[in-house]
Amino acid sequence: MQQSVSTDSRPRSRGSVAAGWPAIGFAALVTAGAVYSFSPRPLPDYPPTQLQADQLLINGLARDGAGFVAGGAKGRILTAESARGPWTDAEVGETHGSPVTRIVAVDDGRMFAVGHNLMILRSTDGGGSWQNVHVDLDVPEPLLDIAKVPGGDRLVAVGGFGQYLESGDGGDTWTSRRIEAFNGSHLNDIVIGADGTLLIAAERGLLLRSRDGGQTWDPLELDYPGSMFGALSLGDGRWLAFGMRGNAFLSEDNGDSWQAVDTGISDSLFGGTQLADGRVVLVGAMHTILIATPGEWTFRRVIPSKQGTYSTVLEAPDGAVLVGGDPGAQLIDLATGERRNGGDDA
């Protein structure tokens, strides 16, 4: 029986390898691409994300040197080199979403912010970064203001339902005190006079004064049962307190007696500042911005082009003020009421 013999004597292995080179090459390219994709390499320098500060609820404003700081909803804090913006997010530690209610510049780049759940944040670089130094998630009450007591490194924070916290070590640790004179009232604002006198503006017509750095507090006589939301120390023993339904009261004897000042409005006043030239600016509900010269106390109303409720105000350059509230941060020309935001950013 004759066997069949193949006449194809070519080595098959060489032909198989040659035919597979395209697949092998493609696999090598994919592998090289994967290695490159996941290999560590430096990221490019992206510019900071700019924010629209006029679209965020702003409760607190402060200034450190040439920079501006704003804080508000969900514990966010923004910074800007100019009152016109642009604004960027600061680096903020854990806030648990607690809103910021006030920001205060203390000294040498040190700032404090307070908020709900007795939250206290501290910055040592002018507002660029913040660390949480106190919070109590079991206490929903807000802290509403904070101040550094003259002499030493003692701080006092005040807030809702008589909340009163003290620190004797620059904010590292905090102790809560219950003071009978507060009577559980909301403590809305704490102000320091030139002589070191402390004044707290509170609800139900309550003003409180301390002449010993906050160790003891005495209620002051005010012929008005409504809340006082803020106060200003005007120097030379003069104080201005303001609050509900446009009520304002002036003291020229360091708080011993108070006289009503006619603001010309019936809308509540929530914030105020004294400008470098001595004039006083008050802000409040129904887009209220009032300006007056001490001694005359005839208030002129500035009508801003973007309306809402304003809770805080800060002097800005060139005859303008930076105001904060539910319309966000707004740069307002005091002469015309026009915005100077330079676009959408404050």
Side-chain angles (χ1 to χ4, degrees):
M1 187 174 186
Q2 195 174 23
Q3 293 182 349
S4 174
V5 178
S6 173
T7 60
D8 186 0
S9 59
R10 293 175 297 176
R12 295 185 180 275
S13 59
R14 181 178 298 176
S16 299
V17 172
W21 270 118
I24 294 172
F26 179 75
L29 288 174
V30 171
T31 302
V35 170
Y36 176 78
S37 297
F38 291 98
S39 62
R41 54 189 180 276
L43 293 173
D45 292 328
Y46 294 110
T49 302
Q50 297 181 11
L51 304 169
Q52 291 182 315
D54 58 353
Q55 296 181 11
L56 177 71
L57 172 66
I58 297 297
N59 298 317
L61 293 169
R63 187 172 183 176
D64 183 80
F68 292 83
V69 183
K74 298 181 180 180
R76 292 180 67 182
I77 297 179
L78 315 178
T79 64
E81 295 182 359
S82 165
R84 293 179 180 271
W87 295 84
T88 58
D89 267 313
E91 297 179 11
V92 183
E94 181 58 66
T95 65
H96 307 279
S98 299
V100 170
T101 56
R102 191 72 58 92
I103 300 178
V104 174
V106 176
D107 51 33
D108 299 327
R110 193 166 50 142
M111 308 181 81
F112 286 87
V114 295
H116 289 247
N117 296 114
L118 305 186
M119 180 180 70
I120 304 175
L121 306 172
R122 178 176 59 191
S123 173
T124 57
D125 60 4
S129 62
W130 297 80
Q131 300 77 43
N132 192 318
V133 294
H134 188 274
V135 70
D136 190 338
L137 298 180
D138 294 325
V139 181
E141 283 85 355
L143 291 174
L144 299 172
D145 201 6
I146 188 169
K148 182 178 180 294
V149 179
D153 208 8
R154 186 162 166 269
L155 296 139
V156 173
V158 299
F161 300 101
Q163 293 289 345
Y164 185 93
L165 277 67
E166 294 178 322
S167 173
D169 54 14
D172 289 337
T173 59
W174 293 84
T175 302
S176 178
R177 280 180 61 193
R178 287 290 177 180
I179 299 177
E180 185 176 352
F182 296 163
N183 195 29
S185 299
H186 294 324
L187 310 178
N188 298 315
D189 195 17
I190 181 168
V191 188
I192 304 173
D195 63 351
T197 298
L198 302 180
L199 186 75
I200 290 178
E203 67 174 338
R204 294 179 287 196
L206 182 62
L207 292 176
L208 299 126
R209 180 179 61 190
S210 175
R211 288 175 164 165
D212 55 9
Q215 297 301 319
T216 60
W217 292 88
D218 300 313
L220 303 177
E221 294 293 332
L222 191 64
D223 188 23
Y224 177 65
S227 294
M228 292 288 102
F229 295 122
L232 296 173
S233 172
L234 305 178
D236 298 325
R238 298 176 302 155
W239 299 84
L240 182 70
F242 50 87
M244 186 176 288
R245 298 187 61 80
N247 283 278
F249 296 86
L250 175 69
S251 175
E252 297 182 306
D253 53 13
N254 212 24
D256 289 338
S257 61
W258 296 82
Q259 298 81 39
V261 174
D262 184 11
T263 64
I265 66 168
S266 59
D267 301 307
S268 293
L269 298 165
F270 299 125
T273 192
Q274 186 173 30
L275 306 179
D277 62 9
R279 291 179 299 166
V280 169
V281 178
L282 303 178
V283 299
M286 299 299 294
H287 48 269
T288 294
I289 301 177
L290 302 177
I291 184 167
T293 300
E296 300 175 5
W297 295 117
T298 300
F299 283 92
R300 174 176 65 87
R301 186 162 188 169
V302 178
I303 306 298
S305 54
K306 187 170 183 179
Q307 301 180 356
T309 292
Y310 296 118
S311 57
T312 182
V313 58
L314 188 68
E315 184 171 12
D318 303 324
V321 289
L322 187 63
V323 296
D326 56 30
Q330 302 287 320
L331 186 62
I332 304 295
D333 189 308
L334 286 175
T336 65
E338 294 298 319
R339 296 170 63 197
R340 292 188 186 173
N341 291 13
D344 292 331
D345 297 321

